[in-house]
Amino acid sequence: MSSRSSVRTRTDATESHSGEIALLIAAIVAVLIGRQVLSLLIGGRGGVATWTTVFCAIVVQALPFLMLGVVLSGAITAFVPPRFFSAILPRRAALAVPVAGAAGALLPGCECASVPVAGRLIERGVVPAAALAFLLSAPAINPIVLVSTAVAFPGQPGMVVGRFVASLATAVLVGWLWARFGRPEWLGRYVTRRLPDPDGPAVSKFETFRLAVAHDFFEAGGFLIIGAAAAATMNVVIPPDWITTVAGIPVLSILVLAALAVVLSICSEADAFVAASLTGFPLPAQLAFMVVGPVVDLKLIALQTGTFSRAFATRFAPLTFVVAVAAATVTGLLIGVA
Amino acid sequence: MRREVQAVVYIVLGAVLLKLVISGEYLNYVQTLLKWPLVATGVLLIALGVLGFLRDWRGRAAIERTRLRSAEARVRTHGPGAVPVLDIDDAHEADVGAEDEHDHADGLRTDPAGHEHTGDGHGVGWLWVLPIFVLVLVPPPALGSFAAERGAVTVPKPPKSVTYSALRGADPVELEVHDYAQRAVWDGGRTLTGRTVELSGFVTPHSGGTWYLTRMKVNCCAADARPFQVQVVDSPVRVTRDAWVKVVGTWTPSTSSDPWKAVPLLKAASVNAIPAPAQPYE
């Protein structure tokens, strides 16, 4: 057996080596041809150029926030003692969910930052439902987002309050629903993963931190790119008239803006300005755009699929969408009455 | 995913971000607010990549030393007749086997220092190549007429806080395109009457030989861009699509008096080509 494995190993080594050479050659060819093809397409300044600009814009814009998220989550892994969160959070999920949801106000980032942080929180023993409530509330109710909402809707403090209330309600409701009906195996590797063995090889905290950051950034980034590509496609493909024609229809306008928030995947720190520019739409529809966007969008779904699992994303995203639309509609109507 | 590839991706990506900021090209994609966050991200990425390389070399040197030592030990205990080559293979095999196991476990991590951190479990990390290639080879230009044509030519209702103070300075007064459009349509041109204004933007041709002076308004990144368009009437020169121009002219009332449907108009006195500005958005 030993000799057979040795042979296999030797072949593998050769293959991986030739694989690298093939990769290098492929890269050189891609650079030579790709440059011509790309400049031809982008030089035309048509749909392809616009797609590429929007795609690059989403990636470039998300990078600092993604970095903030993975640095924070790396710090949670490396520097926070394993028992810390279970000590400060209420033991019962029913109580831990609202506490974690409210704590989302402390993370000054957008949705790209919150997914890796939530993953590491679960790894650190936080009740999954509570970590998910944090994941949903952090990009929606943090100070930066609320300030930008106030700037986008000047003289309408109701919009800021409505956004805060509806987003927090969404996070807590989804958290409770998850605590009641969620299954641990949907969270993929985060529940099966064991914490580092304290008797294992001694690794410095910084090294743990570095490895966690490098790993999370690389992996989450791949999914971010999928999401950015999908959002850029929607940005270029959807005929703009479709959106304005439904502005006057009450229920449909809410659903259309909610769906638009999903496909456009605009950063939660900027979506208030876009919502404010959709002036023909009723207030609950604009609110739905701002409540749905930070909790469900193409780039988030891709990130969640990568961080947790596909089984998770296919259940979590629709659930969140329904709850968010309901919360935004109710809150919007209440504000409209008041 | 091999650790070396990851390190290379980090270094290149960090360098690309720094290059975008230094050349000012980042303004084609995001707002100025993100300048320093982008610099910080670029520096951190390069640091991550370089650190990764250093640790790797040190780690590999340590493995080599262990192998040599175990081979020597084997020779000492089994005599010079022992086959050290196989021993090295065994050591290597154990190493590779461990890596395989981690790969199958799909990111199941038991040891934060092990190889498993580099296995990304999905292979999607490779997609980083895409934006890097595009940004290095052909950085896409700022949004132009294609994106503008997808937007409306009417002016969205400005928020209540927007006030229209009297224009200051001597004629021609330089105005931002969205400012002019809002004054022209939502203020009935009150502050524009009797003044000469100067607008710069790019050309978006429309049907019937007319064209619009266009500027995109961006709040965070180009994904949230919205066009503001002013129809130029009596243009003294012919213009080409996407060309950047500076138009000096006077306000004339729109054909529709309903601000929801009105298209802002500018009667041109002169139209001059200008180079594309460093900040393409408003």
Side-chain angles (χ1 to χ4, degrees):
Chain A
M1 183 212 146
S2 167
S3 70
R4 248 182 70 193
S5 319
S6 296
V7 170
R8 181 183 61 89
T9 307
R10 220 174 273 139
T11 336
D12 282 357
T14 330
E15 266 170 16
S16 81
H17 214 69
S18 64
E20 274 162 25
I21 293 168
L23 194 75
L24 195 69
I25 294 172
I28 293 169
V29 171
V31 166
L32 291 176
I33 297 176
R35 191 186 192 116
Q36 298 301 318
V37 173
L38 276 176
S39 54
L40 195 74
L41 288 172
I42 292 175
R45 307 207 72 170
V48 179
T50 304
W51 185 92
T52 321
T53 306
V54 173
F55 169 71
C56 289
I58 295 177
V59 173
V60 169
Q61 180 256 138
L63 279 179
F65 295 105
L66 183 66
M67 187 52 107
L68 175 72
V70 299
V71 165
L72 275 179
S73 61
I76 290 173
T77 308
F79 303 119
V80 177
R83 305 273 165 263
F84 179 75
F85 290 106
S86 37
I88 58 162
L89 273 178
R91 199 164 293 272
R92 288 183 49 209
L95 289 175
V97 165
V99 172
L106 303 175
L107 179 66
C110 70
E111 54 266 37
C112 310
S114 63
V115 177
V117 172
R120 295 291 181 179
L121 284 176
I122 294 175
E123 198 185 43
R124 283 280 144 181
V126 172
V127 188
L132 295 177
F134 177 83
L135 178 148
L136 293 179
S137 74
I141 64 169
N142 72 65
I144 298 178
V145 169
L146 292 180
V147 166
S148 76
T149 311
V151 172
F153 290 94
Q156 291 172 267
M159 280 312 249
V160 183
V161 176
R163 179 171 200 175
F164 182 85
V165 170
S167 298
L168 188 56
T170 306
V172 172
L173 281 175
V174 172
W176 277 337
L177 285 171
W178 196 266
R180 175 73 187 77
F181 301 107
R183 296 223 199 103
E185 65 263 27
W186 293 335
L187 290 167
R189 61 199 168 90
Y190 275 99
V191 282
T192 48
R193 178 190 289 169
R194 274 176 290 157
L195 287 173
D197 181 7
D199 301 326
V203 178
S204 74
K205 284 189 169 162
F206 178 76
E207 185 66 2
T208 315
F209 171 72
R210 184 185 73 78
L211 286 166
V213 169
H215 175 271
D216 285 359
F217 188 89
F218 202 67
E219 190 175 329
F223 285 95
L224 170 75
I225 289 162
I226 297 178
T233 308
M234 290 300 170
N235 199 305
V236 175
V237 170
I238 296 179
D241 330 345
W242 284 13
I243 292 156
T244 44
T245 46
V246 296
I249 311 164
V251 180
L252 195 61
S253 65
I254 294 177
L255 288 177
V256 166
L257 281 205
L260 190 69
V262 174
V263 297
L264 287 188
S265 307
I266 296 167
C267 177
S268 67
E269 283 162 6
D271 60 358
F273 295 99
V274 179
S277 76
L278 298 164
T279 39
F281 284 85
L283 191 141
Q286 290 181 321
L287 195 59
F289 184 84
M290 295 192 297
V291 173
V292 170
V295 291
V296 193
D297 66 31
L298 291 181
K299 137 187 115 178
L300 257 179
I301 293 171
L303 272 174
Q304 289 167 357
T305 309
T307 308
F308 300 109
S309 71
R310 190 175 298 151
F312 172 82
T314 50
R315 289 170 174 87
F316 191 71
L319 169 72
T320 311
F321 182 81
V322 172
V323 174
V325 169
T329 310
V330 172
T331 317
L333 290 176
L334 287 178
I335 292 172
V337 171
Chain B
M1 179 65 59
R2 291 180 148 261
R3 221 197 294 241
E4 292 88 341
V5 179
Q6 205 180 49
V8 168
V9 165
Y10 282 155
I11 293 173
V12 174
L13 187 64
V16 166
L17 285 188
L18 293 183
K19 177 228 168 197
L20 285 180
V21 173
I22 291 166
S23 69
E25 283 169 308
Y26 76 106
L27 289 172
N28 289 347
Y29 315 115
V30 293
Q31 274 294 12
T32 23
L33 262 176
L34 276 174
K35 181 177 186 176
W36 293 110
L38 280 174
V39 170
T41 310
V43 170
L44 271 175
L45 278 172
I46 293 176
L48 267 182
V50 170
L51 263 180
F53 262 130
L54 289 181
R55 302 277 165 147
D56 232 32
W57 276 327
R58 217 178 289 166
R60 208 174 302 147
I63 289 172
E64 285 300 316
R65 274 200 302 277
T66 321
R67 275 189 207 152
L68 277 178
R69 224 173 287 143
S70 73
E72 279 167 14
R74 192 53 85 90
V75 170
R76 268 204 301 280
T77 47
H78 294 241
V83 192
V85 178
L86 254 182
D87 282 318
I88 287 172
D89 265 353
D90 277 348
H92 185 54
E93 181 202 321
D95 208 8
V96 169
E99 222 170 319
D100 277 348
E101 209 176 286
H102 288 307
D103 281 350
H104 290 312
D106 195 45
L108 178 79
R109 290 182 224 177
T110 50
D111 167 14
H115 295 268
E116 60 275 14
H117 270 284
T118 58
D120 74 337
H122 303 279
V124 290
W126 283 104
L127 289 172
W128 274 118
V129 173
L130 217 89
I132 291 177
F133 259 28
V134 171
L135 285 170
V136 168
L137 293 182
V138 192
L143 294 176
S145 60
F146 180 89
E149 278 168 348
R150 296 179 42 77
V153 289
T154 52
V155 185
K157 190 175 193 291
K160 286 180 193 129
S161 67
V162 175
T163 54
Y164 309 101
S165 53
L167 302 185
R168 250 175 289 168
D171 286 347
V173 185
E174 208 174 312
L175 280 183
E176 294 196 299
V177 175
H178 76 272
D179 189 16
Y180 177 85
Q182 287 169 346
R183 284 168 188 267
V185 168
W186 290 97
D187 195 35
R190 191 176 50 85
T191 51
L192 300 169
T193 334
R195 302 299 302 263
T196 308
V197 296
E198 179 187 297
L199 305 181
S200 24
F202 59 85
V203 173
T204 306
H206 276 245
S207 54
T210 61
W211 60 276
Y212 289 71
L213 181 82
T214 313
R215 202 78 187 248
M216 308 295 281
K217 189 154 172 48
V218 167
N219 286 302
C220 187
C221 80
D224 64 54
R226 286 161 294 135
F228 280 87
Q229 316 204 53
V230 173
Q231 188 179 353
V232 176
V233 292
D234 294 345
S235 172
V237 292
R238 290 181 62 83
V239 288
T240 50
R241 173 181 282 268
D242 279 317
W244 279 85
V245 290
K246 179 178 276 181
V247 178
V248 177
T250 49
W251 173 77
T252 60
S254 307
T255 46
S256 166
S257 57
D258 178 2
W260 290 101
K261 290 177 185 155
V263 175
L265 302 180
L266 178 67
K267 195 169 166 15
S270 74
V271 176
N272 291 304
I274 52 167
Q279 169 57 276
Y281 306 124
E282 280 180 351

